[in-house]
Amino acid sequence: MKKIIASVLIILGLVSLSSSQETTYTGGMEVPNDRIRTQAEGEAARCFRLGVQAYYKGSYNEAIVEFEKSLSYLPNDNLILEWLGNAYYKAGMEGSALEYWKTASDNGYGGILLQNKIEIVRERRVTGDSLDKLLKLSEAGSFDGNYNGNFIFSGPVSVLPNMDGTFWVVAYNTNEVLLLNLNGKVIERLTGPLNGFDRPLDIVRMSDGKLLVSESAGDRIALLNEKGSFEKYIGSKGRGLGNMVGPQYIALDYLDRIYVTDYGNRRVDVFDKDGNALYFFGGKAAGFNGLRGPTGIIVVGDSVYVADEDIGCIYEFDRSGNYVQELVQPGTFKKPESMKLWQNDVIICDKNKIYSVDLDTGALMEYGNTGKGKTRITAAVPDVNNNLLVTDFYANEVYVMSKMQELVGGLFVQIENVDASKFPNVTVEVKVENRHRQPVVGLQDENFYFQEKNRPVGSVKFIGSAANNTYADITIVIDRSNTTRAYKNEIEMAVKEIADSMNGRGTLRVVSAGSVPVTEYIGNPDRLGNFSLDALKNPMTTSVAVDTAIRLSANDLINSTKKRSIIYISDGTTSYQAFEKYNLAELTAFLNNNAIGFSMIQVSQGAVDAEVQYIIDNTCGDLYYVFRAEGLKGIYNDIVNIPQGVYQLSFTSTLPTNFGENYLPLEIEVYLLNRSGRAESGYFAPLK
């Protein structure tokens, strides 16, 4: 008789089959295996399970409903409180999320991990932190050219980061260019053509992905394809047009014109994107004594900035080579080297120091210092993770430098999705960011550590990174306000150019933003080659609900490819009802927390309304004018190149599932150089 009763209770899910565990999660509460759970606990468990499943499907509103039902049965259950907070966070309602997390934390749940999550989300909600620029850089890690007695490289002089987190290092002494991953492991070595590189000094990437390497002793520039194979030389030794003597650093403008500092000829040589010589500049002119020792160079807009090692200053020229002014007065620097743009300022290296230079005022701020030992910093280049990769020629090291706040705060790790449909094989999506919502790109399997109930899991496999995706899903939102009526041709042109730039890859959606948003098209972008506004169902109106159009578009993108973005086409004006249903903070949080970018193509000239500008400024994306000189096709590449710190891994679980009734806890730790982060979550196996 007892066996029959036990069997019935197991079928009803009121007790656990597991005899190896002392407790089992039901709903959110741990219940001893030898105790029959109450009806309230059973209903809480059922709703909690549905909530977790809805959450992992991206149905956050449904998840919120189920978690609130579950909480109504077990009002003091901390795990349900945390999951309800998670669902509100993904839905963009961060204030509500913080309330539920804080309640659980005040109950003694979650420890430092939950407290840290609350602190980070609170900090992110405060925008416009002007103090961030004042924080100095500290070393987050380094890669030694001689590691544990093994020779790796010698004389690192320049570095070029890639969008997948890897980076090229130019080794001057060993005449090679190396590809390293984020953990410092050498992936590839390039030695150039048959005759090899001859003292390579700088490396840059053109818009088509091809690489340019200056050869200081070879008096030329080597053109490589995007994989590093040699294609041809640009320039040769000499004094005339197209000749060089000791080329140093390279810069590119938006037309891919090549500017290289010619140290031996005391000038800057300019070539077109195909390597044809155009002109050179930097000689004596009215009010200018000429370059003496040109080194670092950078092109920003229509200005060319050149560092002069002999004079110790920075000069500004226009792109035609006409002298404009001294940006920084003579004698400011001792031995200036490479210059790169970072956070709207120019980063310049000077012996053992890294400076930030304000392009408007010429004001300097010291960002970093490598001390008084044998050191010579030659390049400091921002990478995809918003660090600086710094080459120290004399110390033979490449440093990874970050702001102190990032090092102290660690990594923000989130478990985005758990697919247990093929249990015990489990697939997990993990998002890794820093404290300021910037993704961490380039991690490998060695950076992740998985546990279930404090036990390491087996057979962990690294499947891939979203950063490696070469396509994106796009939703175009078209403003149907009466003020855009005069821009029919511009809007149609913008849609066609965006569709054409996708080259048939990814899914393109078109949403018309009227008083009520309407999804007009979902499918292959190639089918919009003949797009016409006349085909839209949504009529023109005086009142456009921009907020609901953005929300509808974002909802459709949640389960799309990991690289996804909204492109809003409008004249930039809004009506008083444009953001009546969803406030700006919720909209931007919803987009950011689901890694959805937001850009705008403006069809008119003039300032964009503050509400739309706020969304652009506080999400991933940019503002583009419809008739910009570069055209609109580059917008798609900009979206594809938005960093994504989402990783997919799989493992084999060893936990008992109780026919799919048990909540299976999961912990993930991420390690990167001197930083780490941790996340806890859980999932359910399929019901049986």
Side-chain angles (χ1 to χ4, degrees), residues 489-675:
N489 293 335
E490 288 86 344
I491 295 173
E492 290 177 346
M493 180 193 73
V495 173
K496 291 175 184 177
E497 284 202 40
I498 295 299
D500 182 60
S501 67
M502 295 176 70
N503 293 320
R505 299 173 299 170
T507 299
L508 180 61
R509 296 171 174 83
V510 176
V511 171
S512 55
S515 55
V516 175
V518 174
T519 301
E520 304 278 359
Y521 175 80
I522 302 176
N524 191 300
D526 285 346
R527 294 175 59 188
L528 290 184
N530 296 317
F531 172 78
S532 172
L533 283 177
D534 297 334
L536 298 183
K537 306 181 186 71
N538 218 353
M540 306 291 284
T541 179
T542 57
S543 178
V544 172
V546 181
D547 55 354
T548 55
I550 294 174
R551 189 82 184 194
L552 171 65
S553 302
N555 281 331
D556 289 341
L557 287 171
I558 284 176
N559 291 316
S560 65
T561 185
K562 297 305 174 185
K563 290 187 174 181
R564 60 263 186 127
S565 187
I566 296 169
I567 299 177
Y568 181 49
I569 304 178
S570 172
D571 64 345
T573 62
T574 56
S575 66
Y576 72 95
Q577 294 176 321
F579 297 94
E580 190 175 46
K581 187 171 183 181
Y582 298 99
N583 64 51
L584 294 175
E586 288 182 359
L587 277 176
T588 54
F590 185 51
L591 295 173
N592 287 324
N593 296 343
N594 292 283
I596 299 172
F598 183 88
S599 295
M600 177 180 170
I601 298 175
Q602 188 177 8
V603 295
S604 66
Q605 292 182 315
V608 175
D609 279 4
E611 292 85 353
V612 178
Q613 189 65 55
Y614 176 90
I615 300 175
I616 296 170
D617 292 342
N618 290 280
T619 56
C620 293
D622 210 338
L623 175 64
Y624 305 89
Y625 178 51
V626 68
F627 292 122
R628 70 176 191 151
E630 305 94 319
L632 300 177
K633 290 188 177 181
I635 298 176
Y636 180 70
N637 288 332
D638 291 346
I639 291 170
V640 171
N641 289 330
I642 293 174
Q644 289 289 342
V646 178
Y647 302 86
Q648 194 174 71
L649 302 99
S650 67
F651 67 92
T652 302
S653 176
T654 59
L655 294 182
T657 69
N658 189 23
F659 297 112
E661 290 286 347
N662 285 358
Y663 174 76
L664 308 179
L666 174 66
E667 304 95 40
I668 296 177
E669 293 186 49
V670 179
Y671 301 92
L672 175 62
L673 301 175
N674 295 333
R675 287 189 286 175

Side-chain angles (χ1 to χ4, degrees), residues 277-417:
L278 297 177
Y279 54 92
F280 55 80
F281 64 88
K284 288 186 178 181
F288 179 55
N289 292 326
L291 294 171
R292 297 285 299 276
T295 52
I297 185 169
I298 189 171
V299 182
V300 181
D302 290 323
S303 296
V304 182
Y305 299 92
V306 182
D308 194 303
E309 175 185 87
D310 191 63
I311 305 299
C313 70
I314 299 175
Y315 295 116
E316 180 183 356
F317 302 84
D318 63 24
R319 288 195 302 119
S320 297
N322 300 306
Y323 173 73
V324 177
Q325 66 170 346
E326 288 177 354
L327 178 66
V328 177
Q329 66 182 11
T332 300
F333 303 112
K334 297 179 180 178
K335 196 173 182 61
E337 297 276 358
S338 166
M339 292 196 296
K340 299 293 180 182
L341 191 65
W342 189 41
Q343 298 177 347
N344 299 318
D345 289 332
V346 166
I347 297 295
I348 185 169
C349 303
D350 186 32
K351 293 194 72 174
N352 65 334
K353 295 180 180 179
I354 302 171
Y355 290 103
S356 167
V357 182
D358 188 304
L359 292 179
D360 294 325
T361 64
L364 266 67
M365 188 187 78
E366 184 180 320
Y367 257 140
N369 190 322
T370 56
K372 296 182 179 180
K374 189 177 181 181
T375 179
R376 179 185 171 190
I377 298 175
T378 52
V381 186
D383 71 357
V384 68
N385 294 321
N386 206 38
N387 303 312
L388 282 185
L389 299 177
V390 180
T391 54
D392 191 326
F393 186 82
Y394 288 157
N396 200 35
E397 286 189 75
V398 178
Y399 309 121
V400 180
M401 304 191 79
S402 305
K403 293 181 179 177
M404 180 59 71
Q405 186 180 14
E406 298 298 337
L407 299 180
V408 173
L411 303 173
F412 186 44
V413 182
Q414 302 165 76
I415 298 175
E416 294 285 283
N417 200 338

